[in-house]
Amino acid sequence: MTKGRLEAFSDGVLAIIITIMVLELKVPEGNSWASLRPLFPKFLAYIFSFIYVGIYWNNHHHLFQAVKKINGSILWANLHLLFWLSLMPVATEWIGTTHFASNPVAAYGICVIMSAVAYTILENLIIKCEGENSKLKEAIHSKFKEYISIVFYVLGIAISFFYPYIAIGFYYLVALIWLIPDRRIEKSLKEN
């Protein structure tokens, strides 16, 4: 199987996710700058989620630059990733509407940690399909970024019930870690 349809489908789903999130931002009722103030929490949640979806899109693109072949397991793993990412509009709306309340922030954390787990499963299945000598296996021999991300997500979810804004801070830290596309893959592709 070729990877072109998988990439095109994934790009389309991610574009729809972003579109749904932006459609949740409603026009303010007044015409003054002050009328924008009630929208601030929703807008902040949108920015945060837009960055997250963008990070996944960017890293997904880089990931598939290192892939030569796919199989049915990879297709399902990719759908698993897209499932968790497709929940981002709901989680985004919930944290924005509730002004970052505890339970919505915890649910958002579950959404982002499950997306990370799904991405890792996708990576592992690609390596299994392509073999131990694959470019991807060579590129991601160190999993420090993945491990520290999981730690920050777990801390964020746990602390969200007491200090939701600190939990959001942990989620932001993970986003900052992954903001630049995975250089391990770029480096591996340049060497080969």
PDB file of all heavy atoms in Angstrom, residues 8-36:
ATOM      1  N   ALA A   8      -3.298  12.185   2.720  1.00  0.00           N
ATOM      2  CA  ALA A   8      -4.352  13.098   2.237  1.00  0.00           C
ATOM      3  C   ALA A   8      -5.562  13.058   3.165  1.00  0.00           C
ATOM      4  O   ALA A   8      -6.119  14.113   3.510  1.00  0.00           O
ATOM      5  CB  ALA A   8      -4.757  12.725   0.820  1.00  0.00           C
ATOM      6  N   PHE A   9      -5.971  11.865   3.580  1.00  0.00           N
ATOM      7  CA  PHE A   9      -7.108  11.735   4.484  1.00  0.00           C
ATOM      8  C   PHE A   9      -6.800  12.428   5.814  1.00  0.00           C
ATOM      9  O   PHE A   9      -7.622  13.175   6.345  1.00  0.00           O
ATOM     10  CB  PHE A   9      -7.448  10.258   4.706  1.00  0.00           C
ATOM     11  CG  PHE A   9      -8.574  10.037   5.665  1.00  0.00           C
ATOM     12  CD1 PHE A   9      -9.883  10.273   5.282  1.00  0.00           C
ATOM     13  CD2 PHE A   9      -8.331   9.600   6.961  1.00  0.00           C
ATOM     14  CE1 PHE A   9     -10.932  10.074   6.169  1.00  0.00           C
ATOM     15  CE2 PHE A   9      -9.371   9.399   7.856  1.00  0.00           C
ATOM     16  CZ  PHE A   9     -10.675   9.637   7.456  1.00  0.00           C
ATOM     17  N   SER A  10      -5.609  12.190   6.346  1.00  0.00           N
ATOM     18  CA  SER A  10      -5.218  12.796   7.625  1.00  0.00           C
ATOM     19  C   SER A  10      -5.209  14.317   7.528  1.00  0.00           C
ATOM     20  O   SER A  10      -5.695  15.003   8.433  1.00  0.00           O
ATOM     21  CB  SER A  10      -3.836  12.288   8.051  1.00  0.00           C
ATOM     22  OG  SER A  10      -3.856  10.893   8.200  1.00  0.00           O
ATOM     23  N   ASP A  11      -4.657  14.844   6.436  1.00  0.00           N
ATOM     24  CA  ASP A  11      -4.653  16.301   6.243  1.00  0.00           C
ATOM     25  C   ASP A  11      -6.075  16.852   6.226  1.00  0.00           C
ATOM     26  O   ASP A  11      -6.358  17.895   6.833  1.00  0.00           O
ATOM     27  CB  ASP A  11      -3.944  16.664   4.934  1.00  0.00           C
ATOM     28  CG  ASP A  11      -2.436  16.488   5.000  1.00  0.00           C
ATOM     29  OD1 ASP A  11      -1.889  16.291   6.105  1.00  0.00           O
ATOM     30  OD2 ASP A  11      -1.806  16.556   3.922  1.00  0.00           O
ATOM     31  N   GLY A  12      -6.974  16.149   5.549  1.00  0.00           N
ATOM     32  CA  GLY A  12      -8.368  16.587   5.483  1.00  0.00           C
ATOM     33  C   GLY A  12      -9.039  16.582   6.839  1.00  0.00           C
ATOM     34  O   GLY A  12      -9.740  17.539   7.200  1.00  0.00           O
ATOM     35  N   VAL A  13      -8.820  15.520   7.611  1.00  0.00           N
ATOM     36  CA  VAL A  13      -9.428  15.434   8.948  1.00  0.00           C
ATOM     37  C   VAL A  13      -8.891  16.545   9.843  1.00  0.00           C
ATOM     38  O   VAL A  13      -9.660  17.201  10.561  1.00  0.00           O
ATOM     39  CB  VAL A  13      -9.196  14.042   9.576  1.00  0.00           C
ATOM     40  CG1 VAL A  13      -9.600  14.021  11.040  1.00  0.00           C
ATOM     41  CG2 VAL A  13      -9.947  12.969   8.800  1.00  0.00           C
ATOM     42  N   LEU A  14      -7.590  16.780   9.809  1.00  0.00           N
ATOM     43  CA  LEU A  14      -7.013  17.824  10.644  1.00  0.00           C
ATOM     44  C   LEU A  14      -7.525  19.208  10.240  1.00  0.00           C
ATOM     45  O   LEU A  14      -7.779  20.059  11.099  1.00  0.00           O
ATOM     46  CB  LEU A  14      -5.488  17.754  10.610  1.00  0.00           C
ATOM     47  CG  LEU A  14      -4.903  16.491  11.259  1.00  0.00           C
ATOM     48  CD1 LEU A  14      -3.401  16.400  11.007  1.00  0.00           C
ATOM     49  CD2 LEU A  14      -5.208  16.431  12.735  1.00  0.00           C
ATOM     50  N   ALA A  15      -7.719  19.425   8.951  1.00  0.00           N
ATOM     51  CA  ALA A  15      -8.285  20.701   8.494  1.00  0.00           C
ATOM     52  C   ALA A  15      -9.714  20.869   9.006  1.00  0.00           C
ATOM     53  O   ALA A  15     -10.110  21.972   9.420  1.00  0.00           O
ATOM     54  CB  ALA A  15      -8.247  20.775   6.968  1.00  0.00           C
ATOM     55  N   ILE A  16     -10.481  19.802   8.999  1.00  0.00           N
ATOM     56  CA  ILE A  16     -11.859  19.859   9.507  1.00  0.00           C
ATOM     57  C   ILE A  16     -11.865  20.129  11.007  1.00  0.00           C
ATOM     58  O   ILE A  16     -12.687  20.908  11.503  1.00  0.00           O
ATOM     59  CB  ILE A  16     -12.622  18.568   9.153  1.00  0.00           C
ATOM     60  CG1 ILE A  16     -12.873  18.512   7.645  1.00  0.00           C
ATOM     61  CG2 ILE A  16     -13.930  18.468   9.927  1.00  0.00           C
ATOM     62  CD1 ILE A  16     -13.356  17.166   7.137  1.00  0.00           C
ATOM     63  N   ILE A  17     -10.942  19.507  11.740  1.00  0.00           N
ATOM     64  CA  ILE A  17     -10.857  19.732  13.188  1.00  0.00           C
ATOM     65  C   ILE A  17     -10.624  21.214  13.474  1.00  0.00           C
ATOM     66  O   ILE A  17     -11.308  21.817  14.315  1.00  0.00           O
ATOM     67  CB  ILE A  17      -9.737  18.855  13.807  1.00  0.00           C
ATOM     68  CG1 ILE A  17     -10.149  17.381  13.791  1.00  0.00           C
ATOM     69  CG2 ILE A  17      -9.396  19.317  15.224  1.00  0.00           C
ATOM     70  CD1 ILE A  17      -9.022  16.416  14.111  1.00  0.00           C
ATOM     71  N   ILE A  18      -9.695  21.825  12.754  1.00  0.00           N
ATOM     72  CA  ILE A  18      -9.419  23.249  12.956  1.00  0.00           C
ATOM     73  C   ILE A  18     -10.636  24.089  12.574  1.00  0.00           C
ATOM     74  O   ILE A  18     -10.996  25.046  13.275  1.00  0.00           O
ATOM     75  CB  ILE A  18      -8.166  23.674  12.165  1.00  0.00           C
ATOM     76  CG1 ILE A  18      -6.925  23.075  12.821  1.00  0.00           C
ATOM     77  CG2 ILE A  18      -8.052  25.196  12.078  1.00  0.00           C
ATOM     78  CD1 ILE A  18      -5.647  23.268  12.038  1.00  0.00           C
ATOM     79  N   THR A  19     -11.297  23.711  11.500  1.00  0.00           N
ATOM     80  CA  THR A  19     -12.489  24.451  11.061  1.00  0.00           C
ATOM     81  C   THR A  19     -13.587  24.385  12.116  1.00  0.00           C
ATOM     82  O   THR A  19     -14.213  25.407  12.432  1.00  0.00           O
ATOM     83  CB  THR A  19     -13.004  23.889   9.719  1.00  0.00           C
ATOM     84  OG1 THR A  19     -11.958  23.985   8.751  1.00  0.00           O
ATOM     85  CG2 THR A  19     -14.227  24.644   9.245  1.00  0.00           C
ATOM     86  N   ILE A  20     -13.812  23.214  12.670  1.00  0.00           N
ATOM     87  CA  ILE A  20     -14.841  23.073  13.709  1.00  0.00           C
ATOM     88  C   ILE A  20     -14.488  23.948  14.916  1.00  0.00           C
ATOM     89  O   ILE A  20     -15.363  24.622  15.485  1.00  0.00           O
ATOM     90  CB  ILE A  20     -15.015  21.604  14.120  1.00  0.00           C
ATOM     91  CG1 ILE A  20     -15.643  20.805  12.972  1.00  0.00           C
ATOM     92  CG2 ILE A  20     -15.854  21.470  15.391  1.00  0.00           C
ATOM     93  CD1 ILE A  20     -15.615  19.303  13.171  1.00  0.00           C
ATOM     94  N   MET A  21     -13.216  23.940  15.300  1.00  0.00           N
ATOM     95  CA  MET A  21     -12.822  24.742  16.463  1.00  0.00           C
ATOM     96  C   MET A  21     -13.056  26.233  16.228  1.00  0.00           C
ATOM     97  O   MET A  21     -13.553  26.926  17.113  1.00  0.00           O
ATOM     98  CB  MET A  21     -11.357  24.483  16.826  1.00  0.00           C
ATOM     99  CG  MET A  21     -11.121  23.128  17.451  1.00  0.00           C
ATOM    100  SD  MET A  21      -9.461  22.861  18.117  1.00  0.00           S
ATOM    101  CE  MET A  21      -8.379  23.378  16.811  1.00  0.00           C
ATOM    102  N   VAL A  22     -12.715  26.718  15.036  1.00  0.00           N
ATOM    103  CA  VAL A  22     -12.881  28.154  14.791  1.00  0.00           C
ATOM    104  C   VAL A  22     -14.356  28.519  14.671  1.00  0.00           C
ATOM    105  O   VAL A  22     -14.758  29.631  15.030  1.00  0.00           O
ATOM    106  CB  VAL A  22     -12.069  28.624  13.562  1.00  0.00           C
ATOM    107  CG1 VAL A  22     -12.735  28.275  12.252  1.00  0.00           C
ATOM    108  CG2 VAL A  22     -11.784  30.121  13.644  1.00  0.00           C
ATOM    109  N   LEU A  23     -15.181  27.597  14.196  1.00  0.00           N
ATOM    110  CA  LEU A  23     -16.614  27.888  14.094  1.00  0.00           C
ATOM    111  C   LEU A  23     -17.281  28.009  15.466  1.00  0.00           C
ATOM    112  O   LEU A  23     -18.367  28.580  15.576  1.00  0.00           O
ATOM    113  CB  LEU A  23     -17.321  26.811  13.265  1.00  0.00           C
ATOM    114  CG  LEU A  23     -17.010  26.849  11.762  1.00  0.00           C
ATOM    115  CD1 LEU A  23     -17.671  25.665  11.058  1.00  0.00           C
ATOM    116  CD2 LEU A  23     -17.433  28.171  11.141  1.00  0.00           C
ATOM    117  N   GLU A  24     -16.634  27.494  16.496  1.00  0.00           N
ATOM    118  CA  GLU A  24     -17.168  27.631  17.850  1.00  0.00           C
ATOM    119  C   GLU A  24     -16.945  29.033  18.420  1.00  0.00           C
ATOM    120  O   GLU A  24     -17.544  29.403  19.418  1.00  0.00           O
ATOM    121  CB  GLU A  24     -16.551  26.576  18.783  1.00  0.00           C
ATOM    122  CG  GLU A  24     -16.992  25.152  18.472  1.00  0.00           C
ATOM    123  CD  GLU A  24     -18.491  24.954  18.598  1.00  0.00           C
ATOM    124  OE1 GLU A  24     -19.116  25.554  19.493  1.00  0.00           O
ATOM    125  OE2 GLU A  24     -19.041  24.193  17.782  1.00  0.00           O
ATOM    126  N   LEU A  25     -16.076  29.802  17.785  1.00  0.00           N
ATOM    127  CA  LEU A  25     -15.873  31.192  18.216  1.00  0.00           C
ATOM    128  C   LEU A  25     -16.993  32.034  17.624  1.00  0.00           C
ATOM    129  O   LEU A  25     -17.101  32.168  16.410  1.00  0.00           O
ATOM    130  CB  LEU A  25     -14.511  31.711  17.738  1.00  0.00           C
ATOM    131  CG  LEU A  25     -13.284  31.038  18.328  1.00  0.00           C
ATOM    132  CD1 LEU A  25     -12.020  31.583  17.661  1.00  0.00           C
ATOM    133  CD2 LEU A  25     -13.217  31.253  19.829  1.00  0.00           C
ATOM    134  N   LYS A  26     -17.819  32.549  18.460  1.00  0.00           N
ATOM    135  CA  LYS A  26     -18.973  33.337  18.012  1.00  0.00           C
ATOM    136  C   LYS A  26     -18.624  34.818  17.953  1.00  0.00           C
ATOM    137  O   LYS A  26     -17.778  35.307  18.686  1.00  0.00           O
ATOM    138  CB  LYS A  26     -20.166  33.115  18.952  1.00  0.00           C
ATOM    139  CG  LYS A  26     -20.565  31.657  19.107  1.00  0.00           C
ATOM    140  CD  LYS A  26     -20.978  31.050  17.792  1.00  0.00           C
ATOM    141  CE  LYS A  26     -21.370  29.594  17.981  1.00  0.00           C
ATOM    142  NZ  LYS A  26     -21.223  28.801  16.806  1.00  0.00           N
ATOM    143  N   VAL A  27     -19.315  35.516  17.104  1.00  0.00           N
ATOM    144  CA  VAL A  27     -19.140  36.957  16.962  1.00  0.00           C
ATOM    145  C   VAL A  27     -19.636  37.627  18.243  1.00  0.00           C
ATOM    146  O   VAL A  27     -20.691  37.261  18.775  1.00  0.00           O
ATOM    147  CB  VAL A  27     -19.942  37.466  15.738  1.00  0.00           C
ATOM    148  CG1 VAL A  27     -19.861  38.976  15.622  1.00  0.00           C
ATOM    149  CG2 VAL A  27     -19.450  36.783  14.477  1.00  0.00           C
ATOM    150  N   PRO A  28     -18.883  38.622  18.749  1.00  0.00           N
ATOM    151  CA  PRO A  28     -19.349  39.309  19.962  1.00  0.00           C
ATOM    152  C   PRO A  28     -20.650  40.065  19.702  1.00  0.00           C
ATOM    153  O   PRO A  28     -20.952  40.438  18.569  1.00  0.00           O
ATOM    154  CB  PRO A  28     -18.202  40.261  20.290  1.00  0.00           C
ATOM    155  CG  PRO A  28     -17.381  40.357  19.066  1.00  0.00           C
ATOM    156  CD  PRO A  28     -17.622  39.129  18.258  1.00  0.00           C
ATOM    157  N   GLU A  29     -21.393  40.273  20.766  1.00  0.00           N
ATOM    158  CA  GLU A  29     -22.705  40.918  20.634  1.00  0.00           C
ATOM    159  C   GLU A  29     -22.606  42.426  20.438  1.00  0.00           C
ATOM    160  O   GLU A  29     -23.476  43.020  19.818  1.00  0.00           O
ATOM    161  CB  GLU A  29     -23.563  40.579  21.849  1.00  0.00           C
ATOM    162  CG  GLU A  29     -23.933  39.106  21.855  1.00  0.00           C
ATOM    163  CD  GLU A  29     -24.918  38.767  22.955  1.00  0.00           C
ATOM    164  OE1 GLU A  29     -25.605  39.671  23.451  1.00  0.00           O
ATOM    165  OE2 GLU A  29     -24.988  37.590  23.296  1.00  0.00           O
ATOM    166  N   GLY A  30     -21.582  43.039  20.960  1.00  0.00           N
ATOM    167  CA  GLY A  30     -21.439  44.487  20.827  1.00  0.00           C
ATOM    168  C   GLY A  30     -20.445  44.854  19.749  1.00  0.00           C
ATOM    169  O   GLY A  30     -19.894  44.003  19.057  1.00  0.00           O
ATOM    170  N   ASN A  31     -20.198  46.163  19.626  1.00  0.00           N
ATOM    171  CA  ASN A  31     -19.242  46.617  18.622  1.00  0.00           C
ATOM    172  C   ASN A  31     -18.030  47.311  19.232  1.00  0.00           C
ATOM    173  O   ASN A  31     -17.246  47.936  18.534  1.00  0.00           O
ATOM    174  CB  ASN A  31     -19.918  47.532  17.601  1.00  0.00           C
ATOM    175  CG  ASN A  31     -20.504  48.770  18.238  1.00  0.00           C
ATOM    176  OD1 ASN A  31     -20.351  49.009  19.432  1.00  0.00           O
ATOM    177  ND2 ASN A  31     -21.177  49.573  17.436  1.00  0.00           N
ATOM    178  N   SER A  32     -17.879  47.205  20.531  1.00  0.00           N
ATOM    179  CA  SER A  32     -16.722  47.827  21.196  1.00  0.00           C
ATOM    180  C   SER A  32     -15.674  46.747  21.479  1.00  0.00           C
ATOM    181  O   SER A  32     -15.949  45.553  21.447  1.00  0.00           O
ATOM    182  CB  SER A  32     -17.164  48.475  22.514  1.00  0.00           C
ATOM    183  OG  SER A  32     -17.527  47.471  23.446  1.00  0.00           O
ATOM    184  N   TRP A  33     -14.473  47.221  21.763  1.00  0.00           N
ATOM    185  CA  TRP A  33     -13.403  46.275  22.117  1.00  0.00           C
ATOM    186  C   TRP A  33     -13.757  45.535  23.400  1.00  0.00           C
ATOM    187  O   TRP A  33     -13.392  44.374  23.568  1.00  0.00           O
ATOM    188  CB  TRP A  33     -12.075  47.007  22.275  1.00  0.00           C
ATOM    189  CG  TRP A  33     -11.558  47.557  20.979  1.00  0.00           C
ATOM    190  CD1 TRP A  33     -11.459  48.867  20.640  1.00  0.00           C
ATOM    191  CD2 TRP A  33     -11.107  46.817  19.846  1.00  0.00           C
ATOM    192  NE1 TRP A  33     -10.965  48.997  19.364  1.00  0.00           N
ATOM    193  CE2 TRP A  33     -10.736  47.745  18.851  1.00  0.00           C
ATOM    194  CE3 TRP A  33     -10.970  45.467  19.563  1.00  0.00           C
ATOM    195  CZ2 TRP A  33     -10.236  47.370  17.615  1.00  0.00           C
ATOM    196  CZ3 TRP A  33     -10.476  45.079  18.321  1.00  0.00           C
ATOM    197  CH2 TRP A  33     -10.111  46.029  17.367  1.00  0.00           C
ATOM    198  N   ALA A  34     -14.479  46.180  24.283  1.00  0.00           N
ATOM    199  CA  ALA A  34     -14.866  45.554  25.549  1.00  0.00           C
ATOM    200  C   ALA A  34     -15.789  44.349  25.316  1.00  0.00           C
ATOM    201  O   ALA A  34     -15.821  43.427  26.124  1.00  0.00           O
ATOM    202  CB  ALA A  34     -15.554  46.566  26.455  1.00  0.00           C
ATOM    203  N   SER A  35     -16.507  44.351  24.203  1.00  0.00           N
ATOM    204  CA  SER A  35     -17.406  43.225  23.931  1.00  0.00           C
ATOM    205  C   SER A  35     -16.630  41.947  23.581  1.00  0.00           C
ATOM    206  O   SER A  35     -17.199  40.854  23.565  1.00  0.00           O
ATOM    207  CB  SER A  35     -18.396  43.576  22.818  1.00  0.00           C
ATOM    208  OG  SER A  35     -17.717  43.848  21.613  1.00  0.00           O
ATOM    209  N   LEU A  36     -15.344  42.087  23.318  1.00  0.00           N
ATOM    210  CA  LEU A  36     -14.501  40.914  23.051  1.00  0.00           C
ATOM    211  C   LEU A  36     -14.065  40.206  24.335  1.00  0.00           C
ATOM    212  O   LEU A  36     -13.694  39.038  24.300  1.00  0.00           O
ATOM    213  CB  LEU A  36     -13.250  41.321  22.265  1.00  0.00           C
ATOM    214  CG  LEU A  36     -13.461  41.774  20.836  1.00  0.00           C
ATOM    215  CD1 LEU A  36     -12.161  42.320  20.260  1.00  0.00           C
ATOM    216  CD2 LEU A  36     -13.975  40.625  19.994  1.00  0.00           C
TER     217      LEU A  36
END
